[in-house]
Structures are given as C-alpha cells and as structure tokens.
Amino acid sequence: DGGITQSPKYLFRKEGQNVTLSCEQNLNHDAMYWYRQDPGQGLRLIYYSQIVNDFQKGDIAEGYSVSREKKESFPLTVTSAQKNPTAFYLCASKWIAGEAGELFFGEGSRLTVL
Amino acid sequence: GQNIDQPTEMTATEGAIVQINCTYQTSGFNGLFWYQQHAGEAPTFLSYNVLDGLEEKGRFSSFLSRSKGYSYLLLKELQMKDSASYLCAVINSNYQLIWGAGTKLIIKP
C-alpha cells in the first residue's frame, strides 16, 4: 500500500538534545512538507521541499533543519535551538508543489521535551 | 494578513445535521480543502472546492462562495465516529496552503 510513514510515533527528549523525526513516502511524490500542530492553532509550515536536494523554509523554520537526499525521504531535525519543541509533527506530500493537489499526511510524531 | 476563521467547537446529536462554517481572507484563491482529523491522528482529505456551489459526497457536502470568502461543510445523519476536528484550508495565489485552527465537533448520543 502506498503512503507516508513517520517514526517514531512518540518521542521524549531532554532539553539541549537534538532529535530527528523520520518521514518516508512511497507515493512517488515530488513535494514534501513538515508541519507543526499545537492545540488551538492551525497547521504551521516548518519546511518544504519541491524536489530532491532542494528545500525552503516555511513560516517557523527557526530551530529546525531538514535534508532531501532521496525523493522518498524528508527527515526533520529538531535542534536544541528550538525554544518550545513539544508539539505534534506532521509530514505530508503531494505530486507537485506549485499546484492545487491533495495533500497526503503521515500518522504524525508527538515530541515531548522533559 | 491572511486568515481563516472557523468556530472552535460545535456540539451535535447523533442522527442530526451539522454545518461547519469557514470564512477566509487570503492573497488570491486557488481552491479550498476540508480535512477530517481524529484526535492524535493524521488529517484525512474530505473535499476540494474551487468553483462556487455545492459538492456532495455521501453524507458530507461542501459549499463554496468565492465572492463572500465563505465555505461550509455539511454533515448529515451524524454518527459517533464523526466526532473529530474539521480543518479548513485555502490555497492562495502562490499555491501556499493557509490553515484554519480547526473545529472540534462533539457528537452526543
């Protein structure tokens, strides 16, 4: 079955540690996205990638980093510079970035900072 | 700025009908999405409107008025499994997705 796989589903981090969230898709989509979701707020875009080896900052990129070395993979690193990292993180993809296509989501990763 | 407004929470009774409204102000418009999201899970696609009018899909319908910057999602014959958050999102002229905060729908027996 085609889809998007995020791991881990739950992650606990101590302050000062970097953590990496995995996102893999087998839908052959060019565009991939990372969103952050907090209670009472809409999805906020962290980073997106339109094609392999290329990515752009979203609205809240500070304290995060990404890479896109393969079409299928778009990992997100939450660095110690991110002041308030506890949140639900969603990875998504679609066929092409600059068009009005449906966005497909992974199951999400919940990060808690202890 | 760009913003999307939805009610924070709504309550309805099993078997009834509920309408969730969404108003938007964005820089351009290339379509509007509705997604359903159960607690702790990924959003799933419900509908996409780009032209004015009503799109019906089973128990769910979505309406769009571009001149009024307004959409609604209509859910009929409500079931307990419809308890979820409903997210409205607009694609602006730069093909960026602007998200509303979501409407939490509570279904009571």
Side-chain angles (χ1 to χ4, degrees):
Chain A
D1 284 333
I4 301 177
T5 302
Q6 286 187 240
S7 63
K9 192 171 177 66
Y10 298 97
L11 184 61
F12 297 89
R13 185 194 96 173
K14 293 181 180 179
E15 285 195 23
Q17 286 182 335
N18 292 355
V19 293
T20 297
L21 308 181
S22 169
C23 178
E24 302 278 331
Q25 55 101 357
N26 60 3
L27 299 167
N28 202 31
H29 287 172
D30 281 331
M32 297 188 74
Y33 303 79
W34 274 105
Y35 286 96
R36 171 179 170 141
Q37 188 173 37
D38 295 283
Q41 297 191 41
L43 299 182
R44 292 186 290 168
L45 183 63
I46 305 172
Y47 268 98
Y48 66 100
S49 169
Q50 300 183 71
I51 199 166
V52 176
N53 292 322
D54 181 64
F55 49 83
Q56 283 81 41
K57 292 181 179 180
D59 300 318
I60 56 166
E62 185 175 349
Y64 299 97
S65 66
V66 293
S67 63
R68 187 86 187 274
E69 297 175 2
K70 298 187 299 181
K71 187 175 186 177
E72 302 80 20
S73 179
F74 191 42
L76 173 74
T77 296
V78 184
T79 75
S80 56
Q82 170 49 235
K83 294 289 185 277
N84 184 21
T86 295
F88 189 51
Y89 291 87
L90 286 162
C91 179
S93 71
K94 67 176 184 176
W95 283 109
I96 302 171
E99 50 92 43
E102 175 189 344
L103 208 55
F104 294 80
F105 286 89
E107 292 297 312
S109 294
R110 186 167 297 281
L111 172 63
T112 302
V113 173
L114 302 173
Chain B
Q2 305 185 90
N3 66 284
I4 296 182
D5 290 316
Q6 309 177 231
T8 303
E9 187 175 296
M10 299 182 70
T11 301
T13 305
E14 191 177 13
I17 299 173
V18 71
Q19 177 175 312
I20 303 174
N21 295 327
C22 170
T23 57
Y24 62 88
Q25 289 181 307
T26 56
S27 53
F29 179 85
N30 276 305
L32 184 145
F33 287 98
W34 283 97
Y35 280 81
Q36 180 191 60
Q37 185 179 25
H38 286 98
E41 298 182 8
T44 54
F45 171 82
L46 287 177
S47 66
Y48 171 69
N49 294 68
V50 66
L51 299 176
D52 290 350
L54 186 68
E55 297 270 349
E56 296 186 75
K57 191 186 294 185
R59 294 188 299 113
F60 292 7
S61 302
S62 56
F63 171 84
L64 175 67
S65 169
R66 288 172 295 172
S67 62
K68 295 181 179 178
Y70 168 70
S71 172
Y72 68 72
L73 181 69
L74 190 71
L75 292 74
K76 302 176 185 176
E77 301 169 16
L78 286 170
Q79 303 175 9
M80 297 304 292
K81 68 178 182 180
D82 297 330
S83 292
S85 288
Y86 291 86
L87 314 180
C88 175
V90 171
I91 305 172
N92 68 9
S93 57
N94 293 326
Y95 291 96
Q96 297 169 325
L97 254 181
I98 312 300
W99 293 86
T103 299
K104 182 178 181 180
L105 178 63
I106 300 168
I107 310 296
K108 295 186 175 180

